[in-house]
Amino acid sequence: MVRSEGPQSLYKGIIPSLLRSALYGGLRLGLYEPCKGVLDWATDSSNIFTKIAAGALSGAIATATTNPMEVLKVRMQVSRNRIDGKMMKEIQNMISSEGLGGLWRGVGPSMARASALTASQLATYDESKQIIKRWMNVKEGFWLHLSASFAAGVVGTTATAPVDTVKTRLMIQRQTSNDLYRNAFDCTYKICKSEGLHGLYKGWSAMFARLGPQTTITFLVYEQLRQLVGISAL
């Protein structure tokens, strides 16, 4: 990429990526406890399944809201044309050729991924904290948060890699009569048929290289912000 497109190619889609991150990150973490509260009230219980369901729900809502920015980011990243790589130009091209629905292309797999990611991250983080405190006698603080968030990053990446692969394949596919994949299930079936089950985990290390540090930083900052405003640790 650097040789053929220059160093700036590594930052293609940075603007929609930042816009999405600000909204998506805030929504999925901010909605978690309200969702958990509603589910606690509805089911009259607060177990691990309630936490998983709350994480899945908050992740799905956040993704449905920010999907246009995700599609735009992916399209800009795969564009080799400098002009087409501009954000407003990409938006115009997408709407003119695919309609407004093009902005929500792949929203199903995206919501599934976000649900799996948020549920696996939050449940793993919460359970890891309890295990580490019980087995290693580590008190609430930086090292506990760091260890638990690393575990959440590993589990989150593994849980979402298949959905992420399907979502990306659908997003970069243009709306034509000769689409290779009809929907998410068709895409999953064709990947497994032609590449094997491991095809769904292509690029796991690259995914973890991004999601691992992101998860760690997210939970470390999140816990510090909760402490600053007088809210107990997650």
Side-chain angles (χ1 to χ4, degrees), residues 161-163 165-166 169 181 186-203:
V163 185
T165 299
V166 172
R169 299 266 182 116
Y181 308 118
D186 183 56
C187 182
T188 303
Y189 171 75
K190 287 180 176 177
I191 291 174
C192 291
K193 183 179 180 181
S194 61
E195 305 172 38
L197 188 62
H198 66 275
L200 296 173
Y201 287 90
K202 275 187 174 179

Side-chain angles (χ1 to χ4, degrees), residues 80-97:
R80 290 182 175 274
N81 188 298
R82 288 177 182 267
I83 295 177
D84 288 346
K86 302 298 182 182
M87 190 170 86
M88 295 310 299
K89 182 66 175 178
E90 284 291 335
I91 293 175
Q92 292 172 3
N93 289 342
M94 287 171 59
I95 294 177
S96 63
S97 63

Side-chain angles (χ1 to χ4, degrees), residues 122-149:
L122 288 167
T124 301
Y125 181 75
D126 193 6
E127 287 301 307
S128 295
K129 282 181 67 177
Q130 302 308 315
I131 292 172
I132 293 170
K133 283 194 287 187
R134 184 168 60 250
W135 288 6
M136 301 181 182
N137 197 28
V138 179
K139 295 182 179 180
E140 192 76 42
F142 175 80
W143 293 110
L144 175 62
H145 300 159
L146 181 65
S147 302
S149 60

Side-chain angles (χ1 to χ4, degrees), residues 64-119:
T65 305
T66 60
N67 195 75
M69 290 294 100
E70 176 72 1
V71 175
L72 182 59
K73 179 199 74 172
V74 173
R75 293 289 179 87
M76 289 178 68
Q77 287 177 338
V78 300
S79 175
R80 290 182 175 274
N81 188 298
R82 288 177 182 267
I83 295 177
D84 288 346
K86 302 298 182 182
M87 190 170 86
M88 295 310 299
K89 182 66 175 178
E90 284 291 335
I91 293 175
Q92 292 172 3
N93 289 342
M94 287 171 59
I95 294 177
S96 63
S97 63
E98 304 172 41
L100 285 173
L103 296 173
W104 273 270
R105 194 173 180 83
V107 68
S110 293
M111 290 176 67
R113 176 190 181 277
S115 295
L117 175 64
T118 307

